[in-house]
Amino acid sequence: IMAIVVPCYNEHEVIRDTNKKLMYLINKLINDTIINSNSYIYYVDDGSEDETWSIIKNICSNEKNIKGMKLSRNFGHQNALLAGLSKVDNKCDFVISIDADLQQDIEAIPKMINEYNLGSEIVFGIRNKRKGETIFKRFFSDAFNKIMKLSGSSIIKDHADFRLMGNKALNALLEHHEDNIFLRGLIPKLGFITSEVKFDQKERL
């Protein structure tokens, strides 16, 4: 069983299109017998101030493979993602986290599943160099990565929060109870077999 966790904050302009694309992928993977038919999407509304939650509720009422929850206020992306991961813990074989705007290419998901089947407990989505990215933006991104490494973090270059985690790795992650958790720095330190899948980042819808 696969779960896809999608943190959402003021995503009413894209969430229907996002759901359509993710459900198309899930149905294709089910038809190809790559994942179980009970696989699902779990949306986490991080205290949106627009119509995001009402759209998610409507989608949930019409699709058996859709679940969702609304946080009481905006807690931030990392906490919203962690809340979603905690809800799918032990209710799937592996979970994939992805941003609601789908700039992270969903076509990389079958490749992630293949790496999982080959023995990787964690599969990191690695962004290829972005088209149109300015020299300054790249400089500050590289500087951030270097600073994080100097501080002892195991942050992976060009990886955001697009990843696959098997249930063993997810259980280990949820044993940590830091207040200000930084998943990109913590997950590489969990000690499981990992691999990488590269993707081209798409333009935001």
Side-chain angles (χ1 to χ4, degrees), residues 87-139:
K87 284 294 185 180
V88 305
D89 185 33
N90 294 319
K91 297 175 184 175
C92 62
D93 296 294
F94 59 87
V95 57
I96 292 172
S97 56
I98 191 168
D99 290 344
D101 57 18
L102 295 191
Q103 284 189 282
Q104 299 151 327
D105 189 5
I106 64 172
E107 295 303 319
I109 289 177
K111 298 175 185 177
M112 289 178 162
I113 296 172
N114 184 59
E115 290 296 322
Y116 170 78
N117 289 332
L118 290 173
S120 294
E121 187 66 15
I122 303 172
V123 185
F124 298 104
I126 307 296
R127 183 185 64 239
N128 287 320
K129 187 174 181 180
R130 287 178 283 191
K131 295 177 182 178
E133 187 174 54
T134 66
I135 294 173
F136 291 105
K137 188 168 186 179
R138 192 68 191 177
F139 171 79

Side-chain angles (χ1 to χ4, degrees), residues 15 37-38 43 123 149:
I15 195 68
S37 60
N38 292 320
Y43 292 106
V123 185
K149 285 192 175 182

Side-chain angles (χ1 to χ4, degrees), residues 4 7 9 11 21 43 71 73 76 80 88 95 100 109 112 128-129 133 148-149 164 178 182 188 200:
I4 300 178
Y9 179 66
E11 303 287 356
K21 289 174 179 175
Y43 292 106
L71 303 184
R73 62 173 176 82
V88 305
V95 57
I109 289 177
M112 289 178 162
N128 287 320
K129 187 174 181 180
E133 187 174 54
M148 291 301 294
K149 285 192 175 182
L164 178 151
E178 288 86 350
F182 181 53
D200 291 321

Side-chain angles (χ1 to χ4, degrees), residues 112 122-126 156 159 162-163 187-188 194-197:
M112 289 178 162
I122 303 172
V123 185
F124 298 104
I126 307 296
I156 296 172
H159 168 67
F162 181 34
R163 71 178 71 86
I187 290 173
T194 68
S195 58
E196 299 178 354
V197 168

